[in-house]
Amino acid sequence: MTEANSRSITTNQQGLHDKLDEIVTKHLTAEFKKPIAAHTQSAFDEVNARVQAFNGPIILDSCCGVGESTANLAKRHPDALVIGIDKSAHRLDKHDVEYKQTEQGQYILVQADLNDFWRLALEADWQPTHHYLLYPNPWPKAKHIQRRWHGSAVFPFIVKLGGKLELRSNWDIYVKEFARALALSGVDVEVEAYESDEAITPFERKYWASGQSSTRLVVTL
């Protein structure tokens, strides 16, 4: 498949999920008791040592894929340590040599389960200045609502981590649902169309090349 014919979202949802409020409210009031996976604990401990020794802003690039966005964010925030997190070793192993560490910015790529990593970061008192969620897997089938980040049990930890959160997706319903979830947690945010002369992730580049549009929200938590 070429970049110019990337598939658009196929979904059986026409608007916000009818159980969204119920699911988010439950997660906001319940305790998340899932045990931390050993591999994520180990990966976090290694990154945390770098974070604690770093005297500057910390930026999270969650669901970073091949890490192109992480490298681009590091160039845009040269005074910060940018941490790209993805669960797939296969994707991270594709990190292109042209995006390797340079003097234009510093970043770390880490393989970890974000359901665990975000909780560990909060427990370690990380205070990211920015948190990017760029084109997460939309899970567009209605039955998969709880696999979307705003429908998952870990959602409250995204809010508690704070920072300037930026979410982008090529499925506007995903962003609108996330905004609704934030509203239920006491944070109001506007959803807007997003355009730029420069794509910073492979998915963003593919979507735009095939004529798809992006929607985003930006909010300081």
Side-chain angles (χ1 to χ4, degrees), residues 157-174:
F157 293 86
I158 301 175
V159 180
K160 291 174 183 176
L161 271 172
K164 185 176 182 179
L165 176 68
E166 179 163 350
L167 165 70
R168 298 181 200 168
S169 178
N170 64 322
W171 188 33
D172 65 335
I173 288 176
Y174 190 101

Side-chain angles (χ1 to χ4, degrees), residues 117-165:
F117 197 93
W118 284 331
R119 289 187 288 157
L120 290 169
L122 184 66
E123 184 180 336
D125 199 29
W126 285 18
Q127 296 181 333
T129 58
H130 297 73
H131 188 178
Y132 291 90
L133 269 171
L134 304 178
Y135 305 93
N137 189 332
W139 295 104
K141 293 183 180 180
K143 67 181 181 180
H144 291 151
I145 173 65
Q146 294 193 71
R147 298 186 185 182
R148 303 169 198 166
W149 289 125
H150 49 275
S152 71
V154 80
F155 173 73
F157 293 86
I158 301 175
V159 180
K160 291 174 183 176
L161 271 172
K164 185 176 182 179
L165 176 68

Side-chain angles (χ1 to χ4, degrees), residues 58-62 73 81-85 114 117-118 121 126 128-133 161-162:
I58 301 299
I59 294 175
L60 300 184
D61 181 24
S62 296
L73 290 169
L81 177 61
V82 184
I83 302 167
I85 312 114
L114 283 163
F117 197 93
W118 284 331
W126 285 18
T129 58
H130 297 73
H131 188 178
Y132 291 90
L133 269 171
L161 271 172

Side-chain angles (χ1 to χ4, degrees), residues 10-29:
T10 300
T11 180
N12 57 349
Q13 262 188 244
Q14 301 306 311
L16 302 189
H17 198 284
D18 58 3
K19 292 190 179 298
L20 177 67
D21 284 21
E22 175 187 339
I23 290 167
V24 174
T25 300
K26 179 184 72 174
H27 291 154
L28 288 171
T29 56

